[in-house]
Amino acid sequence: MIPQAPWFTESRFGMFVHWGLYALPARHEWVMNREHTSAPEYEKYFQHFEPDLYDPREWARAAKEAGMKYVVLTTKHHEGFCLWDSALTDYKSTKAPSGQDLVAQYVEALREQDLKVGFYHSLIDWHHPDFPIDGFHPERDNPEAARLNEVRDLGRYRDYLHGQVRELLTNYGQVDYLFFDFSYTSEDHEDIWGGKGREAWGSEELLKMVRELQPGIIVNDRLDIPGDFVTPEQYQPSGPMVVDGVQMPWEACQTLNGSWGYDRDNLDYKSVDLLVRMLIDGVSKDGNLLLNVGPTARGNFDPRAVDSLRGIGDWMKLHSRSIYGAGPADWTPPSDARYTRRGNRLYLHVFSWPFETVHLPDLAGKVEYAQLLNDASEVAMLELGPDRQAINTAQGGQPAGTLTLKLPVQRPDVAVPVVELFLKPGV
């Protein structure tokens, strides 16, 4: 648990929103990098950014109905475009055709729904004239890169970075969560030429300022110095996350379809049951899930994203008490299942529905009652002693200490069925 923010591990589930000029080309949020687009060439998207369907109240309602407890918006991504009325640049939403401070409306909408307010802020800025070209920069292959870097001043850029963070944490009231992205002295264990980390960002000074401005805020681990939680991205950890021998709060950052920004032709959407299993898997390993949506350039959610969120919400309405405030259990679940525990209740999430029985090692004598969580219907409990012989019409015994549950043949019509086990006092 994070001392200044116990809400984080209680919540377990949040929404990430990646939104910026890259929604117009609709070819991934790194389109500027991938297509080696210079800042002047990228200007056409700034000139045509007019999200007339932007209604953050709809975003907040969608998050709330999906069972999410907090939302994190990209105030500025690597392209450098700002979604708020920054006094430090004209490359911002109030100067684009939209003419709106999009962050202000977002914050107001979240507070109306009692959702925690989160900001993402890129440490990288491919538009700023003082940000040095490096191995990740869109102009990394420009033969003039070295000459261009001679007049770029990282110190001036660092002042700009700190100034914009100060604006965001001063002008919008309480901010609960800050996701910096990212340091990159290496990538996949390969050095990046010109890569940047704590010295480039002035990370110690930056983090000190953040905590002075927002004492209750939580900050991630991407400043190249320790943060409040760690952020595995696009993979599910195999267990609790440990840093230097210490178990840390963590949050898996995941996408609906492999892209963070709106990617029109990307059809690789995860199924609702897979997304639910990812959420469960994380909680069973003491982690959170931050699930991303990339709005269109008009400001609304793609219908495919809406369907995914609605499907998760249908499951959460019936099963959220196996998620909120829950965490790992001390027992090893059967194959194709996960345990979560909250207080005296143990939750068996059944990923693969068995025929009639499921065997739970080391739980015999420790459970006083069992039921399906979706409808609170009783589940019969048995203990099949190890000496019991298998015969034609009855299965044999199980290892000592095994609790056997007798399940209905018909799988409950939910994304992932859950059995709620009431533990006996003292267990």
Side-chain angles (χ1 to χ4, degrees):
M1 181 176 293
I2 302 172
Q4 75 273 23
W7 66 263
F8 182 69
T9 47
E10 170 70 25
S11 299
R12 288 304 188 198
F13 191 24
M15 177 186 284
F16 217 171
V17 181
H18 273 67
W19 195 39
L21 299 183
Y22 44 82
L24 282 88
R27 296 189 298 275
H28 197 276
E29 72 286 348
W30 276 56
V31 61
M32 187 178 184
N33 169 287
R34 289 181 169 188
E35 300 180 11
H36 300 254
T37 307
S38 68
E41 292 170 323
Y42 203 73
E43 185 74 10
K44 62 183 178 182
Y45 302 126
F46 175 76
Q47 297 295 338
H48 292 88
F49 184 67
E50 191 173 4
D52 57 315
L53 299 181
Y54 175 55
D55 183 354
R57 289 179 175 84
E58 287 190 5
W59 293 12
R61 281 193 294 269
K64 187 90 168 183
E65 290 171 3
M68 295 155 163
K69 296 290 190 178
Y70 56 104
V71 183
V72 181
L73 172 67
T74 52
T75 59
K76 181 193 80 170
H77 203 259
H78 311 329
E79 65 182 5
F81 178 68
C82 303
L83 298 187
W84 79 101
D85 190 19
S86 174
L88 303 177
T89 183
D90 285 337
Y91 201 54
K92 57 186 178 180
S93 57
T94 52
K95 291 292 186 178
S98 69
Q100 305 173 68
D101 185 326
L102 303 168
V103 168
Q105 297 174 60
Y106 156 82
V107 169
E108 181 180 354
L110 261 58
R111 292 193 177 126
E112 287 177 2
Q113 290 291 336
D114 195 29
L115 296 166
K116 297 291 185 182
V117 174
F119 290 162
Y120 163 112
H121 194 73
S122 174
L123 300 166
I124 301 164
D125 193 320
W126 296 327
H127 179 268
H128 196 281
D130 279 313
F131 188 84
I133 298 170
D134 55 35
F136 271 166
H137 197 282
E139 295 195 70
R140 59 195 174 276
D141 295 330
N142 186 335
E144 297 295 310
R147 183 185 62 78
L148 293 171
N149 276 342
E150 290 177 1
V151 297
R152 299 190 178 209
D153 187 330
L154 184 57
R156 279 199 301 262
Y157 174 70
R158 186 164 47 246
D159 291 342
Y160 175 79
L161 167 65
H162 288 217
Q164 289 204 315
V165 173
R166 180 177 290 277
E167 286 183 337
L168 288 167
L169 299 186
T170 302
N171 298 340
Y172 297 99
Q174 181 176 325
V175 179
D176 304 291
Y177 175 120
L178 184 57
F179 190 115
F180 284 117
D181 197 31
F182 60 96
S183 299
Y184 55 104
T185 53
S186 67
E187 177 76 2
D188 292 333
H189 309 288
E190 297 290 334
D191 289 341
I192 302 296
W193 70 267
K196 298 172 178 62
R198 68 189 72 182
E199 293 183 5
W201 317 131
S203 294
E204 297 282 357
E205 178 188 2
L206 180 57
L207 185 58
K208 180 181 178 183
M209 178 187 72
V210 167
R211 298 209 186 280
E212 288 174 350
L213 294 172
Q214 297 279 348
I217 203 168
I218 60 173
V219 184
N220 72 336
D221 62 334
R222 299 194 179 190
L223 280 170
D224 195 28
I225 58 176
D228 295 310
F229 61 100
V230 296
T231 53
E233 180 176 333
Q234 298 281 45
Y235 73 91
Q236 288 295 110
S238 57
M241 299 290 286
V242 177
V243 178
D244 296 329
V246 177
Q247 187 169 323
M248 291 286 293
W250 63 270
E251 175 183 68
C253 317
Q254 300 283 8
T255 58
L256 291 175
N257 65 352
S259 297
W260 298 100
Y262 178 58
D263 193 345
R264 183 191 61 206
D265 299 331
N266 182 345
L267 306 180
D268 197 17
Y269 276 78
K270 301 175 181 72
S271 64
V272 167
D273 71 294
L274 175 56
L275 294 167
V276 170
R277 281 185 277 126
M278 290 163 65
L279 171 61
I280 294 164
D281 180 68
V283 176
S284 77
K285 299 166 183 173
D286 208 20
N288 287 27
L289 174 63
L290 187 65
L291 184 61
N292 183 76
V293 179
T296 75
R298 297 192 66 182
N300 60 327
F301 286 176
D302 182 282
R304 295 167 294 187
V306 172
D307 288 345
S308 295
L309 295 173
R310 187 178 294 120
I312 298 169
D314 289 344
W315 185 85
M316 286 289 285
K317 285 181 178 71
L318 298 174
H319 302 92
S320 62
R321 69 185 188 223
S322 74
I323 299 297
Y324 298 143
D330 293 333
W331 301 278
T332 301
S335 59
D336 294 325
R338 299 289 188 277
Y339 283 139
T340 63
R341 180 177 181 173
R342 180 169 188 170
N344 72 332
R345 301 190 190 194
L346 179 67
Y347 296 95
L348 172 69
H349 302 80
V350 186
F351 287 5
S352 180
W353 193 249
F355 171 57
E356 287 202 334
T357 55
V358 61
H359 307 292
L360 310 181
D362 303 317
L363 281 170
K366 298 176 181 177
V367 177
E368 64 181 24
Y369 188 74
Q371 63 183 17
L372 286 171
L373 186 51
N374 62 290
D375 63 0
S377 59
E378 184 179 9
V379 172
M381 299 188 296
L382 310 168
E383 289 185 34
L384 306 176
D387 296 331
R388 175 185 167 106
Q389 294 296 311
I391 59 175
N392 290 347
T393 57
Q395 63 180 295
Q398 296 295 314
T402 299
L403 174 65
T404 296
L405 303 180
K406 189 172 182 357
L407 301 174
V409 173
Q410 288 293 323
R411 178 186 183 279
D413 188 19
V414 295
V416 177
V418 181
V419 181
E420 186 174 40
L421 303 165
F422 294 77
L423 300 171
K424 292 181 178 180
V427 175

